[in-house]
Amino acid sequence: MISNKKALEMIDVISNMFPDAECELVHENPFELTIAVLLSAQTTDVSVNKLTKHLFKKYKTPEDYINVDISELENDLRTIGLYRNKAKNIQKLCQSLLEKFNGIIPETHAELESLAGVGRKTANVVMSVAFNEPSLAVDTHVERVSKRLGICRWKDNVRQVEDKLCKVVPRERWNKTHHQLIFFGRYHCLARSPKCDICPLFDVCREGQKRYKASLKEV
Ligand code: SF4
């Protein structure tokens, strides 16, 4: 693993590449954002946005989601992966939101995590994007990029990745860094075909160097 100083230098490079990175899930309020984040599991934001463009016109409140039969909600979500599970989780979330918080998305991390179907990542995203509270959510892009660059260990779990990033990055930059790492992973250091040949971090990236050496052997 590299030092915190080197890690922050890498993140500074990423930050300069994507200065305007922001949440790409279209939403108009914390409730819509929470639903969109739940829908985004193992699905692209583009697919979620296509779906929610219509979904959010039909379902505006937690009651709207639980007042329909599960099969109707499943049918409305069928364009995205894991739609059956997601329909079930959304109904559970809305039920617990009504029971515990009168249908209003709470503004603390602990309360958010107390909701059915809301894990640490979702709570972090909602705290950061909806309420502008410093959080550094770790999704698949953030985890992959942090590990490839050697900021974290390959064996680190998601929570360890989050803790490490929060140690490296100044607190006031957590929210922005989350989006910048996502953009870097989504548009540059892609899972299957990272753009190592044009990467400004190539010289210091262990994954980039490994791939380069492997490519030399293939020649
Ligand atoms: S060198 Fe390749 S693997 Fe490393 S950060 Fe850049 S694109 Fe990703």
PDB file of all heavy atoms in Angstrom, residues 38-71:
ATOM      1  N   LEU A  38     -31.449   2.799  -4.361  1.00  0.00           N
ATOM      2  CA  LEU A  38     -31.830   1.376  -4.220  1.00  0.00           C
ATOM      3  C   LEU A  38     -31.916   0.706  -5.588  1.00  0.00           C
ATOM      4  O   LEU A  38     -31.477  -0.424  -5.769  1.00  0.00           O
ATOM      5  CB  LEU A  38     -33.192   1.246  -3.534  1.00  0.00           C
ATOM      6  CG  LEU A  38     -33.277   1.430  -2.021  1.00  0.00           C
ATOM      7  CD1 LEU A  38     -34.637   0.992  -1.516  1.00  0.00           C
ATOM      8  CD2 LEU A  38     -32.209   0.634  -1.318  1.00  0.00           C
ATOM      9  N   LEU A  39     -32.478   1.399  -6.542  1.00  0.00           N
ATOM     10  CA  LEU A  39     -32.636   0.828  -7.888  1.00  0.00           C
ATOM     11  C   LEU A  39     -31.295   0.659  -8.602  1.00  0.00           C
ATOM     12  O   LEU A  39     -31.169  -0.152  -9.513  1.00  0.00           O
ATOM     13  CB  LEU A  39     -33.539   1.730  -8.741  1.00  0.00           C
ATOM     14  CG  LEU A  39     -35.012   1.784  -8.341  1.00  0.00           C
ATOM     15  CD1 LEU A  39     -35.740   2.872  -9.132  1.00  0.00           C
ATOM     16  CD2 LEU A  39     -35.687   0.436  -8.557  1.00  0.00           C
ATOM     17  N   SER A  40     -30.293   1.431  -8.176  1.00  0.00           N
ATOM     18  CA  SER A  40     -29.037   1.453  -8.934  1.00  0.00           C
ATOM     19  C   SER A  40     -28.121   0.267  -8.639  1.00  0.00           C
ATOM     20  O   SER A  40     -27.100   0.105  -9.311  1.00  0.00           O
ATOM     21  CB  SER A  40     -28.292   2.762  -8.677  1.00  0.00           C
ATOM     22  OG  SER A  40     -27.782   2.771  -7.362  1.00  0.00           O
ATOM     23  N   ALA A  41     -28.466  -0.572  -7.664  1.00  0.00           N
ATOM     24  CA  ALA A  41     -27.609  -1.720  -7.349  1.00  0.00           C
ATOM     25  C   ALA A  41     -27.429  -2.587  -8.605  1.00  0.00           C
ATOM     26  O   ALA A  41     -28.412  -3.003  -9.220  1.00  0.00           O
ATOM     27  CB  ALA A  41     -28.233  -2.541  -6.223  1.00  0.00           C
ATOM     28  N   GLN A  42     -26.184  -2.796  -8.955  1.00  0.00           N
ATOM     29  CA  GLN A  42     -25.816  -3.618 -10.131  1.00  0.00           C
ATOM     30  C   GLN A  42     -26.534  -3.189 -11.413  1.00  0.00           C
ATOM     31  O   GLN A  42     -26.876  -4.014 -12.256  1.00  0.00           O
ATOM     32  CB  GLN A  42     -26.072  -5.091  -9.846  1.00  0.00           C
ATOM     33  CG  GLN A  42     -25.150  -5.609  -8.754  1.00  0.00           C
ATOM     34  CD  GLN A  42     -25.339  -7.079  -8.457  1.00  0.00           C
ATOM     35  OE1 GLN A  42     -25.448  -7.890  -9.348  1.00  0.00           O
ATOM     36  NE2 GLN A  42     -25.373  -7.407  -7.180  1.00  0.00           N
ATOM     37  N   THR A  43     -26.822  -1.917 -11.521  1.00  0.00           N
ATOM     38  CA  THR A  43     -27.501  -1.358 -12.703  1.00  0.00           C
ATOM     39  C   THR A  43     -26.874   0.000 -12.994  1.00  0.00           C
ATOM     40  O   THR A  43     -26.487   0.699 -12.052  1.00  0.00           O
ATOM     41  CB  THR A  43     -29.006  -1.156 -12.401  1.00  0.00           C
ATOM     42  OG1 THR A  43     -29.542  -2.379 -11.925  1.00  0.00           O
ATOM     43  CG2 THR A  43     -29.775  -0.712 -13.621  1.00  0.00           C
ATOM     44  N   THR A  44     -26.790   0.382 -14.252  1.00  0.00           N
ATOM     45  CA  THR A  44     -26.172   1.682 -14.542  1.00  0.00           C
ATOM     46  C   THR A  44     -27.128   2.828 -14.182  1.00  0.00           C
ATOM     47  O   THR A  44     -28.358   2.660 -14.219  1.00  0.00           O
ATOM     48  CB  THR A  44     -25.826   1.814 -16.041  1.00  0.00           C
ATOM     49  OG1 THR A  44     -27.056   1.777 -16.788  1.00  0.00           O
ATOM     50  CG2 THR A  44     -24.921   0.700 -16.503  1.00  0.00           C
ATOM     51  N   ASP A  45     -26.541   3.974 -13.897  1.00  0.00           N
ATOM     52  CA  ASP A  45     -27.364   5.154 -13.591  1.00  0.00           C
ATOM     53  C   ASP A  45     -28.225   5.530 -14.795  1.00  0.00           C
ATOM     54  O   ASP A  45     -29.339   6.023 -14.646  1.00  0.00           O
ATOM     55  CB  ASP A  45     -26.470   6.349 -13.210  1.00  0.00           C
ATOM     56  CG  ASP A  45     -25.870   6.192 -11.812  1.00  0.00           C
ATOM     57  OD1 ASP A  45     -26.125   5.152 -11.177  1.00  0.00           O
ATOM     58  OD2 ASP A  45     -25.160   7.105 -11.367  1.00  0.00           O
ATOM     59  N   VAL A  46     -27.691   5.288 -16.000  1.00  0.00           N
ATOM     60  CA  VAL A  46     -28.449   5.612 -17.215  1.00  0.00           C
ATOM     61  C   VAL A  46     -29.753   4.804 -17.246  1.00  0.00           C
ATOM     62  O   VAL A  46     -30.837   5.350 -17.500  1.00  0.00           O
ATOM     63  CB  VAL A  46     -27.603   5.316 -18.482  1.00  0.00           C
ATOM     64  CG1 VAL A  46     -28.426   5.479 -19.743  1.00  0.00           C
ATOM     65  CG2 VAL A  46     -26.383   6.224 -18.524  1.00  0.00           C
ATOM     66  N   SER A  47     -29.670   3.496 -16.951  1.00  0.00           N
ATOM     67  CA  SER A  47     -30.885   2.658 -16.944  1.00  0.00           C
ATOM     68  C   SER A  47     -31.849   3.113 -15.848  1.00  0.00           C
ATOM     69  O   SER A  47     -33.068   3.134 -16.045  1.00  0.00           O
ATOM     70  CB  SER A  47     -30.549   1.191 -16.676  1.00  0.00           C
ATOM     71  OG  SER A  47     -29.519   0.760 -17.465  1.00  0.00           O
ATOM     72  N   VAL A  48     -31.278   3.463 -14.705  1.00  0.00           N
ATOM     73  CA  VAL A  48     -32.147   3.906 -13.591  1.00  0.00           C
ATOM     74  C   VAL A  48     -32.874   5.200 -13.985  1.00  0.00           C
ATOM     75  O   VAL A  48     -34.079   5.336 -13.777  1.00  0.00           O
ATOM     76  CB  VAL A  48     -31.322   4.112 -12.296  1.00  0.00           C
ATOM     77  CG1 VAL A  48     -32.184   4.753 -11.202  1.00  0.00           C
ATOM     78  CG2 VAL A  48     -30.757   2.786 -11.809  1.00  0.00           C
ATOM     79  N   ASN A  49     -32.139   6.128 -14.598  1.00  0.00           N
ATOM     80  CA  ASN A  49     -32.763   7.402 -14.979  1.00  0.00           C
ATOM     81  C   ASN A  49     -33.868   7.215 -16.019  1.00  0.00           C
ATOM     82  O   ASN A  49     -34.885   7.910 -15.981  1.00  0.00           O
ATOM     83  CB  ASN A  49     -31.706   8.375 -15.506  1.00  0.00           C
ATOM     84  CG  ASN A  49     -30.797   8.873 -14.394  1.00  0.00           C
ATOM     85  OD1 ASN A  49     -31.173   8.833 -13.217  1.00  0.00           O
ATOM     86  ND2 ASN A  49     -29.619   9.332 -14.749  1.00  0.00           N
ATOM     87  N   LYS A  50     -33.637   6.264 -16.944  1.00  0.00           N
ATOM     88  CA  LYS A  50     -34.666   5.995 -17.946  1.00  0.00           C
ATOM     89  C   LYS A  50     -35.932   5.503 -17.271  1.00  0.00           C
ATOM     90  O   LYS A  50     -37.048   5.871 -17.640  1.00  0.00           O
ATOM     91  CB  LYS A  50     -34.165   4.895 -18.903  1.00  0.00           C
ATOM     92  CG  LYS A  50     -33.568   5.434 -20.168  1.00  0.00           C
ATOM     93  CD  LYS A  50     -33.285   4.287 -21.132  1.00  0.00           C
ATOM     94  CE  LYS A  50     -32.152   4.659 -22.056  1.00  0.00           C
ATOM     95  NZ  LYS A  50     -31.483   3.512 -22.634  1.00  0.00           N
ATOM     96  N   LEU A  51     -35.729   4.665 -16.272  1.00  0.00           N
ATOM     97  CA  LEU A  51     -36.871   4.096 -15.552  1.00  0.00           C
ATOM     98  C   LEU A  51     -37.564   5.142 -14.665  1.00  0.00           C
ATOM     99  O   LEU A  51     -38.793   5.282 -14.682  1.00  0.00           O
ATOM    100  CB  LEU A  51     -36.378   2.921 -14.692  1.00  0.00           C
ATOM    101  CG  LEU A  51     -37.383   2.333 -13.709  1.00  0.00           C
ATOM    102  CD1 LEU A  51     -38.461   1.562 -14.460  1.00  0.00           C
ATOM    103  CD2 LEU A  51     -36.691   1.397 -12.725  1.00  0.00           C
ATOM    104  N   THR A  52     -36.778   5.877 -13.903  1.00  0.00           N
ATOM    105  CA  THR A  52     -37.387   6.782 -12.929  1.00  0.00           C
ATOM    106  C   THR A  52     -38.088   7.977 -13.596  1.00  0.00           C
ATOM    107  O   THR A  52     -38.967   8.590 -12.989  1.00  0.00           O
ATOM    108  CB  THR A  52     -36.345   7.310 -11.913  1.00  0.00           C
ATOM    109  OG1 THR A  52     -35.245   7.909 -12.611  1.00  0.00           O
ATOM    110  CG2 THR A  52     -35.837   6.191 -11.030  1.00  0.00           C
ATOM    111  N   LYS A  53     -37.716   8.247 -14.846  1.00  0.00           N
ATOM    112  CA  LYS A  53     -38.391   9.330 -15.580  1.00  0.00           C
ATOM    113  C   LYS A  53     -39.912   9.094 -15.573  1.00  0.00           C
ATOM    114  O   LYS A  53     -40.708  10.028 -15.418  1.00  0.00           O
ATOM    115  CB  LYS A  53     -37.863   9.333 -17.019  1.00  0.00           C
ATOM    116  CG  LYS A  53     -38.181  10.558 -17.792  1.00  0.00           C
ATOM    117  CD  LYS A  53     -37.478  10.529 -19.132  1.00  0.00           C
ATOM    118  CE  LYS A  53     -37.994  11.686 -19.968  1.00  0.00           C
ATOM    119  NZ  LYS A  53     -37.646  11.534 -21.363  1.00  0.00           N
ATOM    120  N   HIS A  54     -40.294   7.841 -15.714  1.00  0.00           N
ATOM    121  CA  HIS A  54     -41.723   7.499 -15.697  1.00  0.00           C
ATOM    122  C   HIS A  54     -42.178   7.105 -14.290  1.00  0.00           C
ATOM    123  O   HIS A  54     -43.250   7.479 -13.845  1.00  0.00           O
ATOM    124  CB  HIS A  54     -41.999   6.349 -16.673  1.00  0.00           C
ATOM    125  CG  HIS A  54     -41.468   6.636 -18.040  1.00  0.00           C
ATOM    126  ND1 HIS A  54     -42.048   7.592 -18.859  1.00  0.00           N
ATOM    127  CD2 HIS A  54     -40.399   6.152 -18.719  1.00  0.00           C
ATOM    128  CE1 HIS A  54     -41.356   7.671 -19.988  1.00  0.00           C
ATOM    129  NE2 HIS A  54     -40.358   6.805 -19.926  1.00  0.00           N
ATOM    130  N   LEU A  55     -41.313   6.343 -13.620  1.00  0.00           N
ATOM    131  CA  LEU A  55     -41.684   5.819 -12.291  1.00  0.00           C
ATOM    132  C   LEU A  55     -42.055   6.941 -11.316  1.00  0.00           C
ATOM    133  O   LEU A  55     -43.069   6.856 -10.607  1.00  0.00           O
ATOM    134  CB  LEU A  55     -40.500   5.023 -11.730  1.00  0.00           C
ATOM    135  CG  LEU A  55     -40.779   4.181 -10.488  1.00  0.00           C
ATOM    136  CD1 LEU A  55     -41.489   2.883 -10.888  1.00  0.00           C
ATOM    137  CD2 LEU A  55     -39.483   3.844  -9.746  1.00  0.00           C
ATOM    138  N   PHE A  56     -41.250   7.997 -11.301  1.00  0.00           N
ATOM    139  CA  PHE A  56     -41.485   9.071 -10.333  1.00  0.00           C
ATOM    140  C   PHE A  56     -42.730   9.905 -10.654  1.00  0.00           C
ATOM    141  O   PHE A  56     -43.149  10.730  -9.844  1.00  0.00           O
ATOM    142  CB  PHE A  56     -40.252   9.972 -10.220  1.00  0.00           C
ATOM    143  CG  PHE A  56     -39.061   9.312  -9.548  1.00  0.00           C
ATOM    144  CD1 PHE A  56     -37.778   9.839  -9.677  1.00  0.00           C
ATOM    145  CD2 PHE A  56     -39.231   8.168  -8.773  1.00  0.00           C
ATOM    146  CE1 PHE A  56     -36.690   9.232  -9.049  1.00  0.00           C
ATOM    147  CE2 PHE A  56     -38.150   7.553  -8.142  1.00  0.00           C
ATOM    148  CZ  PHE A  56     -36.879   8.089  -8.290  1.00  0.00           C
ATOM    149  N   LYS A  57     -43.283   9.690 -11.851  1.00  0.00           N
ATOM    150  CA  LYS A  57     -44.549  10.379 -12.146  1.00  0.00           C
ATOM    151  C   LYS A  57     -45.702   9.596 -11.536  1.00  0.00           C
ATOM    152  O   LYS A  57     -46.706  10.157 -11.100  1.00  0.00           O
ATOM    153  CB  LYS A  57     -44.743  10.486 -13.664  1.00  0.00           C
ATOM    154  CG  LYS A  57     -43.882  11.569 -14.267  1.00  0.00           C
ATOM    155  CD  LYS A  57     -44.233  11.832 -15.729  1.00  0.00           C
ATOM    156  CE  LYS A  57     -43.285  12.862 -16.304  1.00  0.00           C
ATOM    157  NZ  LYS A  57     -42.666  12.444 -17.552  1.00  0.00           N
ATOM    158  N   LYS A  58     -45.547   8.286 -11.512  1.00  0.00           N
ATOM    159  CA  LYS A  58     -46.617   7.432 -10.976  1.00  0.00           C
ATOM    160  C   LYS A  58     -46.537   7.313  -9.449  1.00  0.00           C
ATOM    161  O   LYS A  58     -47.554   7.297  -8.770  1.00  0.00           O
ATOM    162  CB  LYS A  58     -46.519   6.047 -11.623  1.00  0.00           C
ATOM    163  CG  LYS A  58     -47.511   5.029 -11.070  1.00  0.00           C
ATOM    164  CD  LYS A  58     -47.503   3.750 -11.886  1.00  0.00           C
ATOM    165  CE  LYS A  58     -48.422   2.699 -11.284  1.00  0.00           C
ATOM    166  NZ  LYS A  58     -48.412   1.445 -12.029  1.00  0.00           N
ATOM    167  N   TYR A  59     -45.312   7.184  -8.929  1.00  0.00           N
ATOM    168  CA  TYR A  59     -45.116   6.965  -7.483  1.00  0.00           C
ATOM    169  C   TYR A  59     -44.449   8.203  -6.881  1.00  0.00           C
ATOM    170  O   TYR A  59     -43.271   8.461  -7.144  1.00  0.00           O
ATOM    171  CB  TYR A  59     -44.227   5.754  -7.242  1.00  0.00           C
ATOM    172  CG  TYR A  59     -44.751   4.449  -7.810  1.00  0.00           C
ATOM    173  CD1 TYR A  59     -44.402   4.046  -9.101  1.00  0.00           C
ATOM    174  CD2 TYR A  59     -45.558   3.598  -7.051  1.00  0.00           C
ATOM    175  CE1 TYR A  59     -44.856   2.841  -9.626  1.00  0.00           C
ATOM    176  CE2 TYR A  59     -46.011   2.394  -7.564  1.00  0.00           C
ATOM    177  CZ  TYR A  59     -45.658   2.023  -8.853  1.00  0.00           C
ATOM    178  OH  TYR A  59     -46.109   0.831  -9.358  1.00  0.00           O
ATOM    179  N   LYS A  60     -45.188   8.936  -6.081  1.00  0.00           N
ATOM    180  CA  LYS A  60     -44.623  10.170  -5.516  1.00  0.00           C
ATOM    181  C   LYS A  60     -44.371  10.081  -4.012  1.00  0.00           C
ATOM    182  O   LYS A  60     -43.588  10.837  -3.464  1.00  0.00           O
ATOM    183  CB  LYS A  60     -45.552  11.347  -5.804  1.00  0.00           C
ATOM    184  CG  LYS A  60     -45.630  11.668  -7.302  1.00  0.00           C
ATOM    185  CD  LYS A  60     -46.446  12.917  -7.553  1.00  0.00           C
ATOM    186  CE  LYS A  60     -46.623  13.207  -9.025  1.00  0.00           C
ATOM    187  NZ  LYS A  60     -45.360  13.406  -9.743  1.00  0.00           N
ATOM    188  N   THR A  61     -45.055   9.171  -3.341  1.00  0.00           N
ATOM    189  CA  THR A  61     -44.938   9.080  -1.880  1.00  0.00           C
ATOM    190  C   THR A  61     -44.715   7.615  -1.481  1.00  0.00           C
ATOM    191  O   THR A  61     -44.990   6.699  -2.276  1.00  0.00           O
ATOM    192  CB  THR A  61     -46.239   9.554  -1.209  1.00  0.00           C
ATOM    193  OG1 THR A  61     -47.279   8.621  -1.579  1.00  0.00           O
ATOM    194  CG2 THR A  61     -46.637  10.946  -1.654  1.00  0.00           C
ATOM    195  N   PRO A  62     -44.287   7.380  -0.236  1.00  0.00           N
ATOM    196  CA  PRO A  62     -44.135   5.985   0.223  1.00  0.00           C
ATOM    197  C   PRO A  62     -45.460   5.227   0.111  1.00  0.00           C
ATOM    198  O   PRO A  62     -45.480   4.051  -0.241  1.00  0.00           O
ATOM    199  CB  PRO A  62     -43.700   6.135   1.683  1.00  0.00           C
ATOM    200  CG  PRO A  62     -43.106   7.491   1.771  1.00  0.00           C
ATOM    201  CD  PRO A  62     -43.797   8.346   0.756  1.00  0.00           C
ATOM    202  N   GLU A  63     -46.561   5.915   0.379  1.00  0.00           N
ATOM    203  CA  GLU A  63     -47.875   5.257   0.282  1.00  0.00           C
ATOM    204  C   GLU A  63     -48.127   4.737  -1.131  1.00  0.00           C
ATOM    205  O   GLU A  63     -48.667   3.655  -1.318  1.00  0.00           O
ATOM    206  CB  GLU A  63     -49.017   6.233   0.649  1.00  0.00           C
ATOM    207  CG  GLU A  63     -49.122   6.582   2.121  1.00  0.00           C
ATOM    208  CD  GLU A  63     -48.317   7.825   2.473  1.00  0.00           C
ATOM    209  OE1 GLU A  63     -47.405   8.203   1.694  1.00  0.00           O
ATOM    210  OE2 GLU A  63     -48.587   8.402   3.535  1.00  0.00           O
ATOM    211  N   ASP A  64     -47.727   5.525  -2.122  1.00  0.00           N
ATOM    212  CA  ASP A  64     -47.952   5.109  -3.511  1.00  0.00           C
ATOM    213  C   ASP A  64     -47.309   3.751  -3.804  1.00  0.00           C
ATOM    214  O   ASP A  64     -47.857   2.936  -4.533  1.00  0.00           O
ATOM    215  CB  ASP A  64     -47.378   6.140  -4.497  1.00  0.00           C
ATOM    216  CG  ASP A  64     -48.147   7.454  -4.458  1.00  0.00           C
ATOM    217  OD1 ASP A  64     -49.301   7.442  -4.003  1.00  0.00           O
ATOM    218  OD2 ASP A  64     -47.577   8.473  -4.884  1.00  0.00           O
ATOM    219  N   TYR A  65     -46.137   3.533  -3.208  1.00  0.00           N
ATOM    220  CA  TYR A  65     -45.426   2.275  -3.490  1.00  0.00           C
ATOM    221  C   TYR A  65     -46.054   1.082  -2.765  1.00  0.00           C
ATOM    222  O   TYR A  65     -45.991  -0.032  -3.263  1.00  0.00           O
ATOM    223  CB  TYR A  65     -43.946   2.386  -3.076  1.00  0.00           C
ATOM    224  CG  TYR A  65     -43.096   3.211  -4.017  1.00  0.00           C
ATOM    225  CD1 TYR A  65     -42.812   4.544  -3.738  1.00  0.00           C
ATOM    226  CD2 TYR A  65     -42.566   2.653  -5.179  1.00  0.00           C
ATOM    227  CE1 TYR A  65     -42.021   5.307  -4.587  1.00  0.00           C
ATOM    228  CE2 TYR A  65     -41.778   3.404  -6.039  1.00  0.00           C
ATOM    229  CZ  TYR A  65     -41.507   4.735  -5.743  1.00  0.00           C
ATOM    230  OH  TYR A  65     -40.722   5.481  -6.600  1.00  0.00           O
ATOM    231  N   ILE A  66     -46.593   1.335  -1.586  1.00  0.00           N
ATOM    232  CA  ILE A  66     -47.137   0.171  -0.860  1.00  0.00           C
ATOM    233  C   ILE A  66     -48.627  -0.055  -1.157  1.00  0.00           C
ATOM    234  O   ILE A  66     -49.160  -1.109  -0.850  1.00  0.00           O
ATOM    235  CB  ILE A  66     -46.908   0.246   0.672  1.00  0.00           C
ATOM    236  CG1 ILE A  66     -47.428   1.537   1.250  1.00  0.00           C
ATOM    237  CG2 ILE A  66     -45.470   0.033   1.024  1.00  0.00           C
ATOM    238  CD1 ILE A  66     -47.338   1.567   2.760  1.00  0.00           C
ATOM    239  N   ASN A  67     -49.242   0.923  -1.799  1.00  0.00           N
ATOM    240  CA  ASN A  67     -50.662   0.747  -2.126  1.00  0.00           C
ATOM    241  C   ASN A  67     -50.894  -0.038  -3.422  1.00  0.00           C
ATOM    242  O   ASN A  67     -52.034  -0.251  -3.816  1.00  0.00           O
ATOM    243  CB  ASN A  67     -51.384   2.094  -2.210  1.00  0.00           C
ATOM    244  CG  ASN A  67     -51.619   2.653  -0.806  1.00  0.00           C
ATOM    245  OD1 ASN A  67     -51.562   1.906   0.177  1.00  0.00           O
ATOM    246  ND2 ASN A  67     -51.856   3.950  -0.708  1.00  0.00           N
ATOM    247  N   VAL A  68     -49.806  -0.412  -4.092  1.00  0.00           N
ATOM    248  CA  VAL A  68     -49.988  -1.252  -5.288  1.00  0.00           C
ATOM    249  C   VAL A  68     -49.579  -2.685  -4.955  1.00  0.00           C
ATOM    250  O   VAL A  68     -48.798  -2.924  -4.024  1.00  0.00           O
ATOM    251  CB  VAL A  68     -49.139  -0.765  -6.493  1.00  0.00           C
ATOM    252  CG1 VAL A  68     -49.583   0.589  -6.957  1.00  0.00           C
ATOM    253  CG2 VAL A  68     -47.649  -0.791  -6.155  1.00  0.00           C
ATOM    254  N   ASP A  69     -50.119  -3.607  -5.713  1.00  0.00           N
ATOM    255  CA  ASP A  69     -49.715  -4.997  -5.549  1.00  0.00           C
ATOM    256  C   ASP A  69     -48.255  -5.141  -5.970  1.00  0.00           C
ATOM    257  O   ASP A  69     -47.803  -4.432  -6.875  1.00  0.00           O
ATOM    258  CB  ASP A  69     -50.620  -5.875  -6.439  1.00  0.00           C
ATOM    259  CG  ASP A  69     -50.435  -7.337  -6.106  1.00  0.00           C
ATOM    260  OD1 ASP A  69     -51.020  -7.770  -5.097  1.00  0.00           O
ATOM    261  OD2 ASP A  69     -49.689  -8.014  -6.839  1.00  0.00           O
ATOM    262  N   ILE A  70     -47.536  -6.029  -5.301  1.00  0.00           N
ATOM    263  CA  ILE A  70     -46.108  -6.217  -5.622  1.00  0.00           C
ATOM    264  C   ILE A  70     -45.900  -6.535  -7.108  1.00  0.00           C
ATOM    265  O   ILE A  70     -44.929  -6.104  -7.718  1.00  0.00           O
ATOM    266  CB  ILE A  70     -45.481  -7.314  -4.708  1.00  0.00           C
ATOM    267  CG1 ILE A  70     -43.973  -7.445  -4.924  1.00  0.00           C
ATOM    268  CG2 ILE A  70     -46.130  -8.668  -4.924  1.00  0.00           C
ATOM    269  CD1 ILE A  70     -43.161  -6.415  -4.257  1.00  0.00           C
ATOM    270  N   SER A  71     -46.850  -7.266  -7.699  1.00  0.00           N
ATOM    271  CA  SER A  71     -46.681  -7.641  -9.119  1.00  0.00           C
ATOM    272  C   SER A  71     -46.742  -6.397 -10.018  1.00  0.00           C
ATOM    273  O   SER A  71     -46.055  -6.318 -11.041  1.00  0.00           O
ATOM    274  CB  SER A  71     -47.750  -8.652  -9.550  1.00  0.00           C
ATOM    275  OG  SER A  71     -49.022  -8.095  -9.344  1.00  0.00           O
TER     276      SER A  71
END
